[in-house]
């Protein structure tokens, strides 16, 4: 069997910002699985931007699996839930038409007023993915304590993870992918 190709499509948190790609959760997945991993994280991107990059950053690599995680920048830029959902669904439609397995990444919490909107988006993404049989990686869950409060020590600036935060994201991704039987 040939080596699987995994593309992580997202924004700065996929890229590993402010660190290097080698520090990202995506690289941890590559090391654990042996897959060819492509980090297609571009800081500042929204779901609409991800859609526009599909040809060059995803289809060009002929991936077997693509994770999609965005929404934080959409919230900061004032997109409505409806706009975010429509743009996400446009991405899914293109990916599934190519018979690519899609993994839905739930965005991290932010320590800003936009967290309320992100919470709604995470809830919708979780429900949509479960209802339609998509694998979910709940990156957000490790960033809350048992009281449901954001663990601020895992965020550098209220939004981007620390190195420890990225390590937790990698562990979460690996355990979620393994639990779904995507690798041993």
């Amino acid at each position: 069997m040939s080596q699987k190709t995994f593309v992580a499509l997202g924004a700065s948190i996929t890229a590993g910002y402010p660190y290097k790609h080698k520090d990202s959760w995506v690289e941890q997945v590559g090391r654990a699985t042996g897959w060819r991993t492509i980090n297609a994280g571009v800081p500042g991107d929204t779901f609409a931007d991800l859609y526009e990059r599909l040809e060059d950053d995803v289809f060009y690599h002929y991936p077997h699996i693509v994770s999609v995680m965005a929404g934080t920048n959409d919230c900061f830029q004032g997109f409505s839930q409806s706009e975010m959902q429509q743009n996400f669904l446009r991405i899914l439609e293109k990916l599934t038409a190519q018979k690519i397995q899609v993994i839905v990444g739930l965005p991290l919490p932010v320590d800003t007023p936009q967290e309320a909107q992100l919470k709604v988006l995470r809830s919708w993404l979780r429900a949509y993915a479960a209802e339609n049989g998509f694998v979910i990686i709940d990156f957000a869950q490790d960033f809350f304590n048992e009281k449901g409060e954001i663990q601020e020590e895992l965020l550098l600036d209220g939004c981007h993870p620390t190195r420890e935060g990225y390590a937790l994201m990698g562990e979460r991704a690996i355990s979620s992918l393994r639990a779904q039987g995507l690798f041993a």
Side-chain angles (χ1 to χ4, degrees), residues 13 72 76 107-119 122 139-162 165 168:
I13 294 170
T72 305
F76 280 106
L108 300 182
V110 294
D111 193 16
T112 68
Q114 286 78 13
E115 174 54 26
Q117 193 176 10
L118 265 176
K119 183 178 180 182
R122 279 193 299 271
F139 289 114
Q141 72 185 33
D142 297 313
F143 287 77
F144 292 103
N145 64 23
E146 61 281 345
K147 296 178 186 174
E149 301 163 333
I150 296 172
Q151 296 189 74
E152 294 177 27
E153 68 277 8
L154 295 175
L155 299 174
L156 284 170
D157 54 9
C159 179
H160 299 95
T162 60
L168 284 172

Side-chain angles (χ1 to χ4, degrees), residues 8 99 113 139 171:
K99 309 253 187 286
F139 289 114
E171 291 168 17

Side-chain angles (χ1 to χ4, degrees), residues 31-178:
R31 287 190 296 269
T33 62
W35 297 342
R36 176 177 167 247
T37 56
I38 310 298
N39 188 324
V42 175
D45 269 9
T46 63
F47 281 120
D49 296 321
L50 270 53
Y51 179 81
E52 294 300 321
R53 294 194 290 114
L54 284 172
E55 194 63 45
D56 291 340
D57 289 353
V58 177
F59 300 138
Y60 174 81
H61 300 288
Y62 299 97
H64 300 88
I65 303 169
V66 173
S67 68
V68 178
M69 181 175 64
T72 305
N73 295 315
D74 301 70
C75 290
F76 280 106
Q77 292 181 28
F79 285 88
S80 69
Q81 290 293 324
S82 176
E83 290 169 315
M84 289 186 283
Q85 292 169 12
Q86 288 172 3
N87 286 324
F88 173 77
L89 293 174
R90 288 174 55 213
I91 294 167
L92 280 188
E93 183 180 343
K94 289 261 278 228
L95 293 172
T96 56
Q98 296 290 320
K99 309 253 187 286
I100 297 169
Q101 181 169 3
V102 178
I103 297 170
V104 178
L106 300 184
L108 300 182
V110 294
D111 193 16
T112 68
Q114 286 78 13
E115 174 54 26
Q117 193 176 10
L118 265 176
K119 183 178 180 182
V120 172
L121 177 63
R122 279 193 299 271
S123 179
W124 180 83
L125 287 168
R126 185 180 290 109
Y128 183 87
E131 184 177 310
N132 292 282
F134 291 102
V135 173
I136 299 167
I137 301 176
D138 187 352
F139 289 114
Q141 72 185 33
D142 297 313
F143 287 77
F144 292 103
N145 64 23
E146 61 281 345
K147 296 178 186 174
E149 301 163 333
I150 296 172
Q151 296 189 74
E152 294 177 27
E153 68 277 8
L154 295 175
L155 299 174
L156 284 170
D157 54 9
C159 179
H160 299 95
T162 60
R163 289 186 195 280
E164 180 184 358
Y166 279 117
L168 284 172
M169 289 181 75
E171 291 168 17
R172 174 64 54 198
I174 292 162
S175 66
S176 297
L177 297 171
R178 187 175 281 133

